[in-house]
Amino acid sequence: MKTIKFCLTRTFRILCIPPHQAYNSQNMDLTPLSWLLAFLPILTVMVLMLAFKWGGMRSSAASWIVTVIVSMAFFGGTWKILAWSQIKSLFLSFNLLYIIWGALLLYSLANEVGAIRMISDAIPHLSSDRSLQVLTIAFLLTSFLQGVGGFGVPVAVCAPILVILGFNPIIAVVLTAIGHSWAVAFGSMATAFEGLISVTAVPGIQIAPYVAAFFALSYVPIAGIITVLSTGWKSLWKTMPAILAISAVMSLTLYILVTNGLWSLGSIGPSLMGLLTMFLITRLPAFRGKANPGKPAENKQSFLLSIMPYILLVSIGFLIILIKPLNQFLSQAQFSLSYPEIVSNLGLVTPAQKSDTISFFSHPGSILMYSILISSLIFHFKGYFKAGALRRILSRLAHSAISASLGVITMVGVSTIMTHTGMTSMIARGISEAVNRGLYPAVSPFLGALGAFLTGSNSNSNILFGVIQKESAHLLDLSVPLILAGQNAGASFASVMSPAKLIVSCTTVGLADQEGIVLRKLLPLLLVPIGLVAVAMYIWALIMGAGL
Amino acid sequence: MKFNLNPSRKFRFQVAIFAFEAIITFLMYLALRTDHILLGKILSSLLILGIFSLIFLQ
């Protein structure tokens, strides 16, 4: 109680008196206590979600309040830092929310015309094998959509399909989240990977082979987890030849693409080849099973027209990625903010900077909007909309998007306040100084994972921790590309379980406020691929002569 | 302390907080750009109160 009173009094004083009188200007030393204080916001979210099963929005809000108190009481935070952090986080959130709102609107539109039901009815035609059906949706389709759309789209589209196929909504979110976790690093035009390259100035061509190897290692475990969770251990052995074949094709495609500099196709290419392999496998008698025609069609709507929003999303996404002149033309209208230099009361300087540039017309959110507008026109002229459709679509969108938006804004706010007061770098510094040279390669993916959990983004984790990882690798005489690859892979896997992303994922299957339960299931499962990368890095570093 | 609201009221409350946060942040931006220190501090306090209320929303 005394500590709370002390913190509140100090926070109040700092808010009410001029910065130069507020705090003795001293740099915060790295001690176990200061490290623990810096880690407190992350601990708050994890404890509230995992132990108390709080929803993502409430946990994020609690973490935000803890961050404000800790940063002001111990890390030289000021009201100016709080204000600028909030402005920056709102701008950063806009970048994400535009995609989230677009993805949710697309889903709401597709649901209104019965496309989700039609897709789930069509899946049994591909194969009667339930394991292969789930792998197609949760592993391959999600990864492909991550390559095209990014944030929120894969789970928003695929989890409801699994629910209609009869899966529990919690399992549906877990399956789809883990299924595309590898694809985040090279998804959305490889923005996360490009971010890592730009902050560290290490050529991507040096990092890419390691990342490809780590993801290739993760395909079999991820597909295995999906199969066991959905259909049990027995079917795993039956499905294993298919899993191995698909993983081998995807690994080879990924390696060829990213080692030739085509990292923007690093998610799309392997998942497309995986889908093609899956199609060929389902033509084999052993995997085709008995013909399962499904239910007879209840209406005369065209299947192809009904899934038009998704066809358009993929086509327009591809066109904008691959046709450079079109991309350049659409990227002309840009928007960014400039921020002044911000100094904390402990003397930590965040230099004046420009925000990320938002290219409005080539933004993934705009690609979603183009798909929505064109398909809405087609549905309108074809008479697919029933009375009151617009109201239903917008109502569904608003109900699912508001809670998600509040969660995202507060969680991004936590991350920006922590960055401006040096809390994030203290966490990273603590880890890199506490771990010895031999063990650091195994720890580096977990550091990337921590950044992604906190910020909800592989890109932000790379930007936050990329330089620290590079410096640590230099100091410890380790291979820099190897360590950066571990950072990127760890962040990719963990980003799907961040509170910000879980809120979005859960809203589409009616699991609002149950993100804590989903996280409890997802966390141990995602530790498998992250742990695997850690072990692989440890062995690799030993082979390369890092020694113990 | 918990705000036990029915789904409809909870939704309206969330919309109100969302709009409130967006407006406060915009006003803070203006206050910072025009060096209105006191206004900035008041707005920061309001922002803290707005986010604090979300913790109790059930």
Side-chain angles (χ1 to χ4, degrees), chain A residues 15-17 54 57-58 61-62 64-65 79 83-84 86-87 90 338 398-399 402 405-406 409-410 513, chain B residues 10-11 14-15 17-18 21 25 28-29 32-33 37 40-41 44-45 47-48 51-52 54-55 57-58:
Chain A
L15 272 170
C16 297
I17 57 179
W54 277 28
M57 188 191 70
R58 283 180 75 205
W64 191 90
I65 294 293
W79 74 270
W84 277 115
Q86 194 59 23
I87 290 161
L90 198 72
S338 54
H399 275 86
I402 284 292
S405 307
L406 279 170
I409 291 172
T410 37
D513 297 335
Chain B
K10 186 178 167 185
F11 172 68
Q14 287 177 339
V15 172
I17 292 288
F18 184 73
E21 267 193 58
T25 308
M28 269 194 321
Y29 181 75
L32 284 165
R33 281 285 176 218
I37 307 284
K41 286 181 179 177
S44 301
S45 308
L47 183 83
I48 292 172
I51 296 182
F52 196 61
L54 289 175
I55 299 173
L57 189 63
Q58 281 278 52

Side-chain angles (χ1 to χ4, degrees), chain A residues 158-452:
Chain A
C158 297
I161 297 175
L162 289 181
V163 171
I164 292 177
L165 280 176
F167 285 96
N168 173 306
I170 294 173
I171 295 293
V173 172
V174 169
L175 292 174
T176 47
I178 197 168
H180 80 284
S181 57
W182 71 273
V184 181
F186 293 114
S188 316
M189 293 176 78
T191 41
F193 193 66
E194 294 283 0
L196 186 67
I197 296 168
S198 59
V199 292
T200 60
V202 175
I205 212 79
Q206 289 179 13
I207 311 170
Y210 295 112
V211 187
F214 295 148
F215 287 146
L217 271 177
S218 74
Y219 289 150
V220 174
I222 287 177
I225 289 170
I226 290 172
T227 310
V228 171
L229 267 183
S230 57
T231 50
W233 282 98
K234 272 188 182 175
S235 58
L236 177 64
W237 309 119
K238 193 185 157 217
T239 319
M240 193 45 87
I243 291 177
L244 290 174
I246 291 165
S247 301
V249 171
M250 287 172 69
S251 304
L252 195 66
T253 314
L254 175 66
Y255 190 83
I256 292 170
L257 285 171
V258 299
T259 51
N260 284 289
L262 293 168
W263 30 81
S264 62
L265 298 177
S267 298
I268 299 170
S271 48
L272 262 184
M273 290 304 288
L275 281 166
L276 184 68
T277 313
M278 176 63 89
F279 178 76
L280 294 174
I281 287 171
T282 55
R283 300 302 94 193
L284 297 172
F287 292 100
R288 194 166 193 175
K290 289 175 190 170
N292 187 353
K295 294 174 198 166
E298 286 170 7
N299 57 42
K300 290 180 180 174
Q301 269 185 213
S302 154
F303 176 74
L304 268 183
L305 270 183
S306 297
I307 61 162
M308 187 54 77
Y310 297 115
I311 296 174
L312 284 170
L313 174 67
V314 173
S315 315
I316 298 172
F318 253 129
L319 285 176
I320 294 179
I321 289 172
L322 295 177
I323 303 175
K324 287 277 174 210
L326 177 66
N327 193 316
Q328 282 164 0
F329 175 73
L330 291 174
S331 301
Q332 283 175 349
Q334 294 184 330
F335 177 71
S336 69
L337 286 178
S338 54
Y339 306 121
E341 181 183 272
I342 304 167
V343 186
S344 80
N345 277 343
L346 295 185
L348 183 81
V349 180
T350 305
Q353 57 190 176
K354 277 192 103 178
S355 68
D356 282 343
T357 304
I358 294 180
S359 302
F360 193 73
F361 293 110
S362 61
H363 193 279
S366 295
I367 296 174
L368 283 157
M369 289 301 167
Y370 303 144
S371 318
I372 291 162
L373 279 175
I374 298 169
S375 33
S376 297
L377 283 174
I378 295 170
F379 293 152
H380 176 71
F381 287 117
K382 284 280 176 186
Y384 283 11
F385 287 135
K386 292 174 188 136
L390 184 66
R391 201 178 159 192
R392 275 193 301 277
I393 291 170
L394 293 180
S395 164
R396 254 197 308 260
L397 168 71
H399 275 86
S400 51
I402 284 292
S403 165
S405 307
L406 279 170
V408 168
I409 291 172
T410 37
M411 208 55 216
V412 176
V414 168
S415 147
T416 41
I417 296 169
M418 285 179 71
T419 309
H420 284 92
T421 50
M423 292 165 76
T424 314
S425 62
M426 177 155 291
I427 295 172
R429 247 186 330 132
I431 293 172
S432 61
E433 284 183 21
V435 177
N436 69 21
R437 182 172 175 248
L439 209 59
Y440 190 80
V443 171
S444 110
F446 289 99
L447 193 56
L450 190 69

Side-chain angles (χ1 to χ4, degrees), chain B residues 5-46:
Chain B
L5 303 177
N6 66 38
S8 167
R9 284 195 168 183
K10 186 178 167 185
F11 172 68
R12 282 182 207 164
F13 184 80
Q14 287 177 339
V15 172
I17 292 288
F18 184 73
F20 177 76
E21 267 193 58
I23 293 166
I24 291 281
T25 308
F26 179 69
L27 291 176
M28 269 194 321
Y29 181 75
L30 294 181
L32 284 165
R33 281 285 176 218
T34 51
D35 272 337
H36 282 88
I37 307 284
L38 184 65
L39 181 64
K41 286 181 179 177
I42 293 168
L43 291 170
S44 301
S45 308
L46 287 174

